[in-house]
Amino acid sequence: MINQKRTVFYLSDRTGITAETLGHSLLTQFDGIEWETVNVPFLDDIEKAHCVTRQINEIAGREGHKPLVFSTLLNPEILEVIKQANCRVFDFFEAFICPIEEELHLPFARMAGRSHGLQHHLSYFKRIAAVNYVLAHDDGVNPKNFDEADIVLIGVSRSGKTPTCLYLGLQYGIAAANYPLTQDDMQVMQLPKVLQNSRAKLFGLTLSAAQLHFIRQERRPNSAYASLVQCQREIQWQEWLFHQFNVPYLDTTRISIEEISATILNRCGLRRQLYG
């Protein structure tokens, strides 16, 4: 139930990804509020800061509540301008950098964009290579190259393989391929031959028949492909297959792509290849 509406600002002198990610994670712990989000990346001069301050003050006056401001601004002069506005500022660097400096006995670099920039070229290009691998090995394409994969996801059509592979590549630098289990595979009741040499890398994705039916209805309404009976048959068969050939698998019915990916890494012993 929504009890109130509030505005939250995410301010950064670069992309704002860090401020938004951390701020959003904190706000999800509070129920009954509908958040109006204002993202302000590349806030890198005083004039822009004064414009944002006026915007904050206007919203505070209209709504009768102080907007929340999550900041990763590094320029103290710009941050000071923002603090003069009618808002509540939560500055992530202010909260954490000083204690870290004290512990490490080192000053922080005060350089913007290090989390998502190109300072670490090898890490960046590892991400690009992983995403390219995912795109080139989606939906069973180029199975002869599955030996180069870190992991191969398998499951029936629309079980979430492609978005999970993309997330693994983009966020973790994991070379993830995927292979769709088909009607032909069901008839022979065997693991597809093209997967035989990748047994150690296989991981299955399953979900409830009702959820699969809902997803397929969006794609092909009222088709045999989307029927609940067909979805039940395919889910029952693929879970039999996973058990028969000792393929680890995960029921994704009620979990997000982020949770699916983290669970796969944890269960398969894979490590994040990059940060940023």
Side-chain angles (χ1 to χ4, degrees):
M1 180 178 179
I2 303 300
N3 297 323
Q4 60 176 303
K5 294 184 178 182
R6 297 288 294 268
T7 298
V8 56
F9 282 75
Y10 298 109
L11 309 183
S12 174
D13 33 30
R14 293 297 291 175
T15 64
I17 295 172
T18 301
E20 184 173 7
T21 300
L22 293 175
H24 175 74
S25 295
L26 294 171
L27 294 182
T28 57
Q29 298 299 315
F30 298 90
D31 298 324
I33 301 177
E34 180 179 332
W35 294 101
E36 179 70 26
T37 299
V38 181
N39 294 291
V40 186
F42 306 107
L43 182 53
D44 50 12
D45 65 48
I46 297 296
E47 183 177 350
K48 291 180 183 178
H50 283 298
C51 288
V52 173
T53 297
R54 290 192 291 271
Q55 185 179 7
I56 291 171
N57 289 339
E58 190 275 328
I59 290 173
R62 184 175 70 244
E63 295 184 347
H65 297 291
K66 291 183 177 181
L68 275 59
V69 174
F70 291 101
S71 164
T72 54
L73 294 167
L74 283 169
N75 187 318
E77 295 179 357
I78 293 176
L79 182 58
E80 189 58 35
V81 171
I82 298 301
K83 287 182 176 180
Q84 303 311 308
N86 187 18
C87 62
R88 181 67 183 271
V89 176
F90 301 92
D91 182 63
F92 289 116
F93 284 128
E94 186 176 66
F96 297 107
I97 287 292
C98 289
I100 295 173
E101 282 183 321
E102 291 175 5
E103 179 62 30
L104 299 180
H105 304 292
L106 288 171
F108 80 107
R110 202 176 287 278
M111 291 181 64
R114 283 197 165 186
S115 294
H116 304 285
L118 290 177
Q119 285 79 9
H120 304 290
H121 295 287
L122 292 179
S123 178
Y124 178 78
F125 289 117
K126 173 67 176 177
R127 180 207 304 267
I128 298 303
V131 172
N132 283 337
Y133 182 88
V134 170
L135 294 175
H137 299 84
D138 181 41
D139 212 25
V141 175
N142 295 320
K144 64 181 182 298
N145 296 327
F146 281 3
D147 59 329
E148 300 171 10
D150 295 313
I151 192 165
V152 180
L153 302 186
I154 62 173
V156 298
S157 172
R158 315 310 291 179
S159 57
K161 302 181 297 300
T162 295
T164 302
C165 285
L166 285 170
Y167 191 88
L168 287 168
L170 187 60
Q171 296 296 325
Y172 296 106
I174 298 296
N178 75 79
Y179 185 90
L181 298 174
T182 67
Q183 287 274 20
D184 291 341
D185 298 321
M186 287 180 64
Q187 291 174 6
V188 298
M189 301 295 284
Q190 288 288 328
L191 198 66
K193 290 183 179 180
V194 295
L195 300 177
Q196 293 292 341
N197 293 331
S198 305
R199 291 278 295 273
K201 298 180 179 181
L202 299 183
F203 193 95
L205 297 185
T206 192
L207 68 170
S208 71
Q211 180 71 3
L212 182 62
H213 167 63
F214 175 80
I215 294 170
R216 288 184 174 183
Q217 275 287 95
E218 294 290 311
R219 184 175 175 84
R220 297 182 193 170
N222 303 317
S223 63
Y225 162 82
S227 72
L228 182 58
V229 170
Q230 178 65 22
C231 292
Q232 289 170 333
R233 289 181 62 246
E234 291 186 29
I235 292 298
Q236 184 178 22
W237 169 76
Q238 82 162 5
E239 291 185 3
W240 171 87
L241 189 78
F242 296 155
H243 285 290
Q244 184 74 11
F245 294 95
N246 297 314
V247 176
Y249 71 96
L250 178 65
D251 186 334
T252 67
T253 304
R254 292 180 175 84
I255 58 177
S256 66
I257 293 297
E258 293 87 349
E259 293 172 297
I260 295 168
S261 300
T263 300
I264 289 172
L265 261 65
N266 182 56
R267 287 181 55 181
C268 297
L270 297 173
R271 297 183 60 186
R272 179 194 285 268
Q273 300 298 310
L274 52 87
Y275 286 87

